[in-house]
Amino acid sequence: MNSRKVVYLFFSTLLIGSISGAIVGLIIEFDVYTAGSFLNFVFGLIWLLGISAAFSLISQMGFFAYLTLHRFGLALFKSQKLWNYVQIILVAFVVFDLIYFRYIAFAEPGETILHYSVMPILLLAFGLLVAYLKAKDTNQGAFIPALFFIVVVTTIEWVPALTVNDPKWLWLYFAPLITANTWQLLILHRLTKKES
C-alpha cells in the first residue's frame, strides 16, 4: 500500500468518524444545540466534530494495533485455526463482560440484566454482519478476525465511556468508533489489492 492510500485511509476514516459522531451528538442533545443563537449551533457542531475526530483517531490506533496483534497471534499459535479459536473465546468473554460487569457495577433497583444485554447483543449482531461482508469480499478466513476486531477492539476503545456509564457519552463515543472501525475494516482490502 503506497503513501497516497495510507493518507486516504487516514483522512477518510477521520471524516467518516467525525461526521457520524456529530450526527449522533446532534440527535442526542438537539435542544441544547438549537437553543439560542445560530452561533450556539455552529460552535456546538464544531465541538462535536472535534471530539468525534479524537474518537476516530483512537479507532485508527486500535486498527493498526490489531493488525500487529493479528500477525503476532498467527506467529504465536502457529495455526490460523487455533488463533481463530482463541479469538472466538475472547469475543464470547467480552460480550459476557459487557453484560455482566456493567450490570454488577451500574444496575439500579428495578433494572434487570436484560437492560444491560441489549447493547452488547446489538454489537455482536453488527459484528457478525460486518464479518460476513468482509468474508464475502475477501475470503472465509477473514470472518473471525473481522468479528474479533469489531467486537473486542471496539469494546477496548470504548472503555472510557463504559466506565462513566452516561448514556450521552456512551453513544457519542460509540458512534465514531464503530463507523470508523467498520470503514477501515471494509476498505482495507480494496486499498491493498494489487492493481492489474
Side-chain angles (χ1 to χ4, degrees):
M1 189 159 75
N2 60 35
S3 58
R4 184 177 55 81
K5 290 180 179 179
V6 172
V7 169
Y8 171 77
L9 179 62
F10 175 80
F11 283 108
S12 64
T13 304
L14 191 67
L15 183 66
I16 288 169
S18 300
I19 291 171
S20 66
I23 290 169
V24 169
L26 284 173
I27 291 169
I28 290 172
E29 292 191 320
F30 186 75
D31 295 342
V32 172
Y33 296 111
T34 56
S37 68
F38 180 70
L39 281 179
N40 179 58
F41 177 78
V42 171
F43 288 128
L45 185 60
I46 291 169
W47 181 83
L48 285 171
L49 287 168
I51 198 80
S52 299
F55 298 148
S56 70
L57 288 174
I58 292 168
S59 164
Q60 292 187 53
M61 288 188 289
F63 184 62
F64 287 103
Y66 174 68
L67 293 176
T68 304
L69 173 71
H70 183 64
R71 288 291 159 204
F72 179 75
L74 288 171
L76 180 66
F77 293 103
K78 300 192 187 323
S79 160
Q80 182 164 355
K81 194 172 185 181
L82 183 57
W83 173 228
N84 282 346
Y85 286 137
V86 170
Q87 289 180 97
I88 290 169
I89 290 167
L90 290 172
V91 167
F93 185 72
V94 165
V95 171
F96 172 79
D97 284 357
L98 269 175
I99 296 169
Y100 183 72
F101 288 122
R102 288 190 66 240
Y103 171 71
I104 294 297
F106 302 116
E108 295 178 4
E111 285 186 319
T112 66
I113 200 163
L114 290 175
H115 290 93
Y116 292 88
S117 301
V118 174
M119 202 179 298
I121 290 171
L122 288 176
L123 176 60
L124 178 61
F126 183 76
L128 289 167
L129 174 65
V130 172
Y132 167 76
L133 294 173
K134 179 71 173 181
K136 186 179 168 195
D137 282 354
T138 56
N139 60 66
Q140 290 303 313
F143 185 87
I144 299 300
L147 177 64
F148 179 88
F149 176 70
I150 291 294
V151 175
V152 176
V153 176
T154 301
T155 301
I156 291 169
E157 295 165 347
W158 199 20
V159 163
L162 290 170
T163 55
V164 174
N165 200 44
D166 178 350
K168 171 193 161 187
W169 283 102
L170 279 174
W171 290 109
L172 189 59
Y173 210 114
F174 182 72
L177 287 178
I178 198 70
T179 53
N181 282 344
T182 302
W183 170 253
Q184 290 173 104
L185 193 64
L186 294 179
I187 197 70
L188 181 67
H189 62 274
R190 290 180 174 89
L191 294 176
T192 56
K193 185 169 59 177
K194 290 182 181 172
E195 296 173 7
S196 49

